[in-house]
Amino acid sequence: EAHDSGLNPKDFIEKMKQTNQLIMGIGHRIKSLANPDQCVELIKQYAKKNFKSMPILDCALEVEQLTTRKRANLILNVDGCIAVSFVDMIRSCGAFTREECDDLMSF
């Protein structure tokens, strides 16, 4: 939502805060900056190595940089990482138009 709406990560976080909404895909009960989720690390490494572009993942990581300033466990969690990586994968693979990608995301 943040990337596609044109909001920068800081403004996105502020919007979510003002509307009292949680940021889906951010936060973990146990994992933190000091104790990262290795599944997330593997997904990020795979995406960086294999995807043509990853603007959604990059945006999510920028959000994570800002949220972890507040609390160390407000990291990109595995569900969020899978979701943003999936969007980047289908948008950059060349097999789908943007309209088809958006249709896949709307379910």
Side-chain angles (χ1 to χ4, degrees), residues 57-70:
L57 178 57
D58 290 340
C59 182
L61 293 172
E62 288 180 48
V63 169
E64 177 189 57
Q65 286 180 349
L66 296 170
T67 56
T68 53
R69 290 179 187 167
K70 179 179 179 183

Side-chain angles (χ1 to χ4, degrees), residues 23-41 44 60-61 63-81:
I23 300 174
M24 295 293 107
I26 295 288
H28 200 284
R29 288 183 186 207
I30 299 167
K31 300 298 181 180
S32 67
L33 285 176
N35 180 25
D37 187 334
Q38 292 306 304
C39 292
V40 171
E41 297 304 312
K44 289 190 304 190
L61 293 172
V63 169
E64 177 189 57
Q65 286 180 349
L66 296 170
T67 56
T68 53
R69 290 179 187 167
K70 179 179 179 183
R71 201 173 322 135
N73 71 332
L74 293 177
I75 58 172
L76 180 63
N77 61 41
V78 70
D79 295 330
C81 192

Side-chain angles (χ1 to χ4, degrees), residues 43-44 46-48 51-58 60 76-94 96 100-107:
I43 294 166
K44 289 190 304 190
Y46 183 87
K48 288 177 183 178
F51 295 177
K52 292 179 184 176
S53 67
M54 27 181 244
I56 310 297
L57 178 57
D58 290 340
L76 180 63
N77 61 41
V78 70
D79 295 330
C81 192
I82 290 169
V84 297
S85 296
F86 179 75
V87 174
D88 279 338
M89 178 185 69
I90 65 166
R91 285 185 179 176
S92 69
C93 72
F96 305 99
E100 290 170 325
C101 292
D102 291 345
D103 189 47
L104 284 170
M105 296 302 117
S106 69
F107 65 91

